[in-house]
Amino acid sequence: MICDVPKVAVTTWSSRGVILVGPTYRQYLNKALDAVKNKEVASIIGQPGMGKTTILKKVEETVFSFSTTPFYLDLASKSEIEDEFWSKVSGDKVRSVIYPLLEKDKKKYGYSFLKKLFGVSFRSHLDSLCGKMISDDDKLLRLYCLKYNRDFDGMLKFIEDFKSFDNIALLIDEVRETHITKIHRLINSGLNVSILIAIPTDSYSRITDLAIRRRLDESRISLDSLTSEDIKEIVEAYCKPLSEEFFPIVLSLWKGRELNTVSSILQFIRSEVEKASKECGDNINCLKERIRTSYSLSNVEEDSKNLERLIRDSLSSLSKEFNISYVHPRGKRIEVKGKSFVVGLFFILDNEAYIGLVKLYNNEVKAEDEDVKLLSYVSTVEHDKKEYSVKYRFVVTNSSSLEVPSVVNKLEFNTMEVVRVLQGDNEILEEKVRGFLKSITSQQGKSELAVT
C-alpha cells in the first residue's frame, strides 16, 4: 500500500519505532518525559484514538536513554493492576541489574573458595539460596529470587526494593474507574517513582472522589484538540506521497467534526486509498486525481444549483414540523436598487418571508459577492399578489471568509459536507436544515417574548 497506515490500533504495536508527530504531541511528550525525569505523577486524559497510548509507547521507547526501566501496563482488558504488573516483570531483566551487585559481596552469601573449586558457579549458589528463607533486610537476594507475593502489596514491595537499584517508570494505560482505588493507593504509597496514567475522558468524568481528581489534575496532560500543523504532520508521516491531496480534505473534515481523533484520520486515509487503488492500482498520478476529485466541487455554479434544490426539498419535507406555510419550488427573481437577481431559497413562516442564496466556491473568497449585497437590501417579497415583509436573509456557503452584510446570516457547510450531500447523504442535509430552522424559530420566539 502506497501509504503506511496501520490496520490496527497503536495498543497492539511494538513499542519500537512509534510514530509521534506534530508540535502539540511533541509538547505532550516533553511534559511526560519531564514527569519521568522528576519522578512525578502525571495523567494523560483524552478521547479514545487521540494518542494517549502513542505517547506512553514513545515514553517507553525513550526513557532507556536516561537509564530508566519502564513498566508498560495495559489495563484495557485487565481487572486488576497487579496481574498486569507481574506479567511484565522479567526475572532476567531484574537479575541483570542485581547480579553484579551481589557478585561484589560473594562471601556475605556464603560462596566460598571450596564451592568454586568444586565447580559450583556463583549463580548456581544463588539459585540454591532462593529455596531458603530470605531475611527481610536482604533486598538484593529477594529481588534476585523474586520472592514476592503476586498481589498488589507484593507489587508495592517489589517496586520499593527495585527502585533502590534502578530508576523505575510506571506507564499505566487504559485506566478505568474500576482501577482508580488501587491507582490512588499506588500514588499515595510514597514510592517516589514516576507514574504516567492514561485515562479515557469518559472514565475520568466518572471519578467522583475529589481527592483523586485533584491528584490527577496536578500534572494533567489533556489531549483535547489538534492544530492544522499537527494534522499536516500526521498526514505527511503516514501518507507522504498523497499528503498534498489529503491534507485539505482531512483538515476540512476535522473542522466539521466528521473526523475527531487521530485514529479516525488514519482510518479515513487508509479507506480512501484502498478505494482509489481499486481504480488506479499504484499509479500515483491517478491516485492523486481520484482523491482530489472525490472531495472537491467540479462545477461550483451547477453544484450551487443542485444544493439549492436539495435544500428546498428538505424545507418542504420539514414544513409541517416547523409550520412553514409555503416553500417556493424554484428560484425567484427579485428587483432591488434598479438591479435584478434570483433568490434561490424563499419560504414563508408565520406570514413573513425568509430569503436566501447558495454560494459555493472551490477556493476561499474575500471579496463581497454582488448578489449577497443585493440580498441585504430586499425588505419585501411579492407572492401570489401579496407583499410579505422579509424577516430573515441568509446565504448558504462553504466559504468561511465570504464577507456578508450585517443583516445577512450565514449557514455554513464545509466542502466535504457539500460533496457528501450532493452524493446523496440526506442525513447531513437534514441535520443542517433542521438546525437552521430550529435556530431561526428560536430567535423568533425570543423576539416575541421580548415584545410581550
Side-chain angles (χ1 to χ4, degrees):
M1 189 173 178
I2 198 165
C3 296
D4 187 23
V5 179
K7 288 184 178 180
V8 295
V10 72
T11 48
T12 64
W13 304 350
S14 164
S15 63
R16 291 172 293 180
V18 174
I19 298 176
L20 188 145
V21 294
T24 300
Y25 282 100
R26 286 191 286 274
Q27 177 186 348
Y28 292 154
L29 176 62
N30 288 334
K31 288 181 68 175
L33 290 174
D34 284 343
V36 172
K37 291 176 183 177
N38 297 326
K39 298 183 179 180
E40 296 173 343
V41 175
S43 61
I44 304 173
I45 299 170
Q47 298 290 348
M50 275 300 289
K52 300 184 299 298
T53 298
T54 305
I55 291 174
L56 288 186
K57 285 288 189 178
K58 197 64 179 179
V59 170
E60 181 186 22
E61 182 183 282
T62 306
V63 293
F64 288 108
S65 64
F66 41 89
S67 302
T68 295
T69 298
F71 288 85
Y72 173 74
L73 311 180
D74 182 4
L75 303 185
S77 58
K78 307 292 193 308
S79 59
E80 302 297 341
I81 183 175
E82 61 267 27
D83 294 340
E84 173 69 356
F85 177 81
W86 286 116
S87 74
K88 295 297 177 68
V89 174
S90 166
D92 290 341
K93 166 62 180 173
V94 174
R95 290 188 183 101
S96 70
V97 175
I98 299 305
Y99 181 79
L101 301 175
L102 290 165
E103 202 173 26
K104 291 179 181 179
D105 199 358
K106 294 179 179 179
K107 288 185 179 180
K108 175 182 175 181
Y109 294 98
Y111 186 70
S112 63
F113 175 75
L114 191 60
K115 285 183 180 291
K116 184 177 181 180
L117 187 65
F118 279 96
V120 178
S121 68
F122 185 52
R123 282 188 183 276
S124 297
H125 176 67
L126 289 175
D127 290 342
S128 70
L129 295 179
C130 289
K132 300 177 182 179
M133 186 70 69
I134 297 175
S135 167
D136 287 342
D137 296 329
D138 201 331
K139 295 181 183 179
L140 285 173
L141 192 56
R142 186 163 55 245
L143 286 165
Y144 180 87
C145 298
L146 286 181
K147 282 277 191 167
Y148 299 92
N149 294 328
R150 291 320 197 250
D151 55 17
F152 187 78
D153 289 329
M155 179 187 81
L156 296 182
K157 182 66 173 175
F158 170 85
I159 295 172
E160 177 66 33
D161 287 350
F162 196 48
K163 70 152 192 179
S164 301
F165 310 103
D166 193 16
N167 292 320
I168 292 177
L170 298 177
L171 314 177
I172 310 175
D173 201 4
E174 293 297 331
V175 170
R176 308 289 174 171
E177 57 269 26
T178 55
H179 303 125
I180 288 298
T181 299
K182 285 185 176 177
I183 292 292
H184 198 209
R185 281 185 61 194
L186 177 63
I187 293 172
N188 289 337
S189 61
L191 291 173
N192 193 31
V193 297
S194 56
I195 305 173
L196 292 184
I197 306 164
I199 311 177
T201 304
D202 61 339
S203 294
Y204 174 78
S205 67
R206 288 195 288 269
I207 298 174
T208 56
D209 190 312
L210 296 181
I212 299 175
R213 288 181 73 106
R214 184 168 57 251
R215 190 66 192 271
L216 294 176
D217 283 339
E218 286 176 357
S219 184
R220 174 175 174 173
I221 301 171
S222 295
L223 304 184
D224 296 324
S225 61
L226 300 180
T227 66
S228 59
E229 186 61 32
D230 293 324
I231 293 172
K232 186 173 187 293
E233 288 193 25
I234 289 168
V235 173
E236 289 178 346
Y238 287 94
C239 196
K240 179 65 175 177
L242 300 173
S243 59
E244 288 187 13
E245 287 68 35
F246 269 123
F247 172 61
I249 296 170
V250 170
L251 183 61
S252 180
L253 291 172
W254 180 269
K255 290 180 177 178
R257 302 303 294 165
E258 289 188 68
L259 299 176
N260 54 17
T261 65
V262 176
S263 177
S264 66
I265 290 173
L266 298 183
Q267 295 317 307
F268 169 78
I269 291 173
R270 183 179 183 86
S271 173
E272 293 303 304
V273 172
E274 286 178 345
K275 285 192 293 186
S277 296
K278 291 178 181 178
E279 178 184 325
C280 301
D282 290 332
N283 186 317
I284 187 66
N285 291 326
C286 177
L287 287 169
K288 286 183 176 183
E289 182 63 21
R290 177 74 175 79
I291 290 165
R292 188 164 46 241
T293 56
S294 293
Y295 287 90
S296 63
L297 302 173
S298 55
N299 184 317
V300 290
E301 289 188 11
E302 184 179 336
D303 290 337
S304 294
K305 290 178 180 177
N306 287 333
L307 181 59
E308 184 182 282
R309 174 179 53 80
L310 291 170
I311 291 174
R312 281 199 296 265
D313 291 345
S314 185
L315 286 168
S316 296
S317 68
L318 295 170
S319 59
K320 185 175 291 186
E321 180 181 341
F322 289 92
N323 297 317
I324 297 173
S325 57
Y326 175 77
V327 178
H328 199 61
R330 57 190 177 278
K332 185 173 181 63
R333 184 164 294 279
I334 295 177
E335 290 191 9
V336 64
K337 296 288 184 178
K339 295 182 180 180
S340 175
F341 75 112
V342 175
V343 173
L345 300 168
F346 164 46
F347 62 95
I348 298 172
L349 172 62
D350 289 337
N351 220 31
E352 292 180 300
Y354 292 72
I355 56 175
L357 299 167
V358 176
K359 292 288 181 178
L360 299 179
Y361 302 88
N362 256 332
N363 298 298
E364 289 293 303
V365 296
K366 294 185 182 299
E368 188 178 69
D369 185 275
E370 180 64 22
D371 286 349
V372 175
K373 186 176 181 180
L374 291 173
L375 181 71
S376 68
Y377 297 129
V378 180
S379 58
T380 62
V381 177
E382 186 274 332
H383 168 65
D384 200 18
K385 299 180 180 180
K386 181 179 176 180
E387 289 284 334
Y388 291 86
S389 63
V390 174
K391 173 71 173 181
Y392 198 87
R393 306 166 188 84
F394 63 98
V395 57
V396 179
T397 184
N398 64 333
S399 172
S400 59
S401 57
L402 174 65
E403 295 179 4
V404 299
S406 59
V407 295
V408 177
N409 299 275
K410 267 190 183 183
L411 173 56
E412 287 194 30
F413 285 65
N414 63 53
T415 301
M416 300 306 109
E417 289 172 332
V418 174
V419 171
R420 295 272 292 275
V421 169
L422 293 176
Q423 290 174 348
D425 194 327
N426 293 324
E427 188 175 330
I428 292 177
L429 178 63
E430 182 175 331
E431 180 183 345
K432 283 284 188 178
V433 175
R434 185 184 294 277
F436 165 66
L437 292 174
K438 283 183 177 179
S439 173
I440 62 176
T441 53
S442 172
Q443 290 178 21
Q444 183 184 49
K446 289 178 181 178
S447 175
E448 291 173 353
L449 185 62
V451 171
T452 301

